[in-house]
């Protein structure tokens, strides 16, 4: 457990630092955030045609209300946390890759729901929007990350390295 | 998702509105230790910069020695920081702990609460420093006396303290205080797949 948390923290700091570099922002974070705005807008336009995306901004043509998807709301940090937790946990590499791919999709799907819900909550009541944006959705996204990780942990085979004590049943035999 | 995990998620979601309501109403009390911690750190690290820290509910007002501009000869700059922005992990942690039903629950909640306080203080202090060193007008930032390297460190501390720590720390605290629950959740599947 100590080794897992040490590796998790190191990976998280390294990946987060890499994310903040201009290169990562230009070629990964900004394109992804713009794509997220486009995906959310494409879904919204199925039932609301008066919505457009411009870069990372989603805007209502009916009332002018707009939301800009900023750092922390694009799901990138949540994805990094999940990937660090999966990479740090002792498991076969094939399980890690599959876990990360499925996990990233799961986290980003909920993040699309977050963006769309905030877009409409903001048009309804700005105080509720602030609450949902700053507190509630942050907690829900991290709960999503934790649940995805728990599901993945439950499915990976346990690795027994030679330095760890053997299971009680084997010792008894 | 298996039944125990699904039940755990649903119970957590059911507890969240309750824990968020209690957290919001009792924030001045719950976050009082954070105020003490922030005051103690500020008194040691930025004694020349901060003359007082006043609390208004969950908002901490940092009274500084910085002058806001040439025309405000007698005034000083005050920076407000909302501690709730860095403490939303508390209701999440408590909801997770209550849903896990691992005894002794209140001991785990207390340990998690105490463990999270320094990280909340990190966020609050980094927010204050970011305000005076980076986002403040040049006149104010120059009075603060931070060099380019220190401003980079403050920027990173703020980003890490606002984007990563408030969400990750409660999850980590919960995993560390609920290892029995995690083992129990993992065991049935392992037993089922064992030849």
């Amino acid at each position: 457990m100590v080794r897992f948390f040490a590796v998790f923290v190191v990976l998280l700091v390294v990946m987060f630092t890499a994310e903040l570099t201009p290169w990562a922002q230009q070629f990964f974070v900004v394109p992804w955030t713009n794509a997220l705005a486009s995906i959310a807008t494409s879904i919204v336009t199925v039932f609301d045609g008066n919505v457009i995306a411009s870069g990372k901004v989603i805007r209502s043509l009916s009332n002018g209300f707009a939301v800009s998807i900023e750092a922390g709301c694009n799901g990138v940090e949540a994805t990094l946390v999940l990937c660090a937790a999966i990479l740090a946990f002792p498991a076969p590499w094939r399980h890690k890759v599959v876990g990360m791919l499925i996990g990233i999709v799961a986290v980003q799907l909920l993040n699309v729901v977050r963006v769309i819900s905030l877009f409409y909550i903001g048009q309804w009541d700005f105080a509720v929007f602030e609450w949902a944006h700053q507190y509630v959705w942050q907690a829900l996204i991290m709960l999503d990350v934790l649940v995805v990780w728990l599901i993945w942990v439950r499915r990976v085979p346990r690795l027994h390295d030679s330095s760890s004590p053997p299971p009680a049943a084997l010792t008894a035999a | 998702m298996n039944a125990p995990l699904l039940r755990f998620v649903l119970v957590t979601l059911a507890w969240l509105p309750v824990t968020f309501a209690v957290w919001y109403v009792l924030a001045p009390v719950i976050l009082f230790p954070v105020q003490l911690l922030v005051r103690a750190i500020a008194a040691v690290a930025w004694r020349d910069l901060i003359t007082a820290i006043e609390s208004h509910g969950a908002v901490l007002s940092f009274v500084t020695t910085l002058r806001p501009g040439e025309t405000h000869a007698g005034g000083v700059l005050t920076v407000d920081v909302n501690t709730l922005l860095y403490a939303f992990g508390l209701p999440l942690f408590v909801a997770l702990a209550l849903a896990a039903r691992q005894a002794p629950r209140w001991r785990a909640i207390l340990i998690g609460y105490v463990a999270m306080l320094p990280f909340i203080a990190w966020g609050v202090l980094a927010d204050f420093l970011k305000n005076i060193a980076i986002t403040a007008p040049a006149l104010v930032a120059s009075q603060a006396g931070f060099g380019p390297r220190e401003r980079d460190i403050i920027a990173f501390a703020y980003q890490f303290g606002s984007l990563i720590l408030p969400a990750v720390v409660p999850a980590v605290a919960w995993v560390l205080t609920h290892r029995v629950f995690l083992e129990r959740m993992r065991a049935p599947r392992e037993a089922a797949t064992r030849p």
Side-chain angles (χ1 to χ4, degrees):
Chain A
M1 190 61 105
V2 174
R3 184 183 170 279
F4 163 71
F5 275 107
V7 175
F8 169 71
V9 170
V10 169
L11 283 173
L12 189 56
V13 171
V14 169
M15 290 197 290
F16 182 68
T17 306
E19 186 219 332
L20 295 178
T21 61
W23 184 87
Q25 291 289 321
Q26 183 183 347
F27 294 107
F28 173 65
V29 177
V30 171
W32 168 248
T33 308
N34 292 347
L36 177 62
S38 296
I39 292 166
T41 304
S42 301
I43 295 169
V44 165
T45 49
V46 171
F47 55 88
D48 184 353
N50 292 321
V51 179
I52 57 163
S54 173
K56 62 181 180 180
V57 175
I58 304 174
R59 186 182 307 277
S60 169
L61 296 175
S62 308
N63 54 25
F65 181 83
V67 291
S68 176
I69 304 172
E70 300 294 336
C73 293
N74 53 15
V76 173
E77 288 78 18
T79 301
L80 294 184
V81 172
L82 178 67
C83 290
I86 288 177
L87 288 171
F89 197 82
W93 274 101
R94 191 172 64 83
H95 285 77
K96 290 187 184 194
V97 172
V98 172
M100 282 193 291
L101 289 175
I102 296 173
I104 288 168
V105 172
V107 170
Q108 292 300 337
L109 278 177
L110 188 64
N111 201 48
V112 170
V113 175
R114 161 162 73 170
V115 170
I116 294 173
S117 70
L118 288 175
F119 179 64
Y120 284 101
I121 289 171
Q123 293 178 64
W124 170 58
D125 188 312
F126 196 73
V128 178
F129 168 84
E130 289 281 85
W131 236 84
H133 174 232
Q134 292 176 335
Y135 312 130
V136 178
W137 265 116
Q138 305 273 31
L140 289 177
I141 292 290
M142 188 41 60
L143 178 62
D144 185 33
V145 169
L146 183 63
V147 170
V148 169
W149 183 75
L150 286 175
I151 293 171
W152 176 79
V153 164
R154 203 171 176 274
R155 288 177 175 273
V156 297
R158 196 186 294 257
L159 294 178
H160 294 290
D161 62 77
S162 56
S163 61
S164 63
L170 292 177
T171 312
Chain B
M1 203 185 293
N2 68 321
L5 187 55
L6 180 62
R7 194 179 66 104
F8 166 70
V9 174
L10 292 177
V11 175
T12 302
L13 288 172
W15 271 115
L16 270 178
V18 179
T19 57
F20 260 112
V22 172
W23 166 77
Y24 189 70
V25 172
L26 298 180
V29 177
I30 293 170
L31 298 175
F32 183 68
V34 173
Q35 292 180 26
L36 296 180
L37 200 54
V38 167
R39 283 196 174 102
I41 296 168
V44 173
W46 297 288
R47 190 194 303 253
D48 298 335
L49 202 58
I50 303 166
T51 56
I53 299 174
E54 298 164 358
S55 64
H56 309 283
V59 174
L60 290 185
S61 297
F62 291 79
V63 183
T64 71
T65 55
L66 308 174
R67 286 182 296 110
E70 297 289 352
T71 54
H72 299 78
V76 290
L77 184 79
T78 302
V79 178
D80 290 344
V81 178
N82 181 6
T83 54
L84 294 178
L85 290 175
Y86 307 98
F88 65 80
L90 284 171
L92 173 63
F93 173 79
V94 175
L96 288 167
L98 291 171
R101 299 176 66 85
Q102 176 190 299
R105 270 193 282 188
W106 296 109
R107 185 167 162 268
I109 289 173
L110 185 64
I111 291 170
Y113 168 68
V114 172
M116 277 188 267
L117 296 177
F119 297 100
I120 299 170
W122 172 328
V124 171
L125 282 166
D127 191 333
F128 161 72
L129 291 172
K130 181 263 302 180
N131 269 291
I132 61 162
I134 298 168
T135 55
L139 179 68
V140 174
S142 64
Q143 292 175 62
F146 294 110
R149 191 177 181 81
E150 287 167 314
R151 279 203 291 272
D152 285 346
I153 293 170
I154 289 169
F156 182 83
Y158 170 70
Q159 299 267 25
F160 201 71
S162 60
L163 296 175
I164 298 289
L165 290 179
V168 170
V169 170
V172 170
W174 180 80
V175 169
L176 283 175
T177 52
H178 291 81
R179 289 171 64 177
V180 174
F181 172 81
L182 292 171
E183 285 297 324
R184 205 171 59 222
M185 191 158 280
R186 203 177 172 197
R189 183 176 174 84
E190 287 193 337
T193 55
R194 202 172 290 147

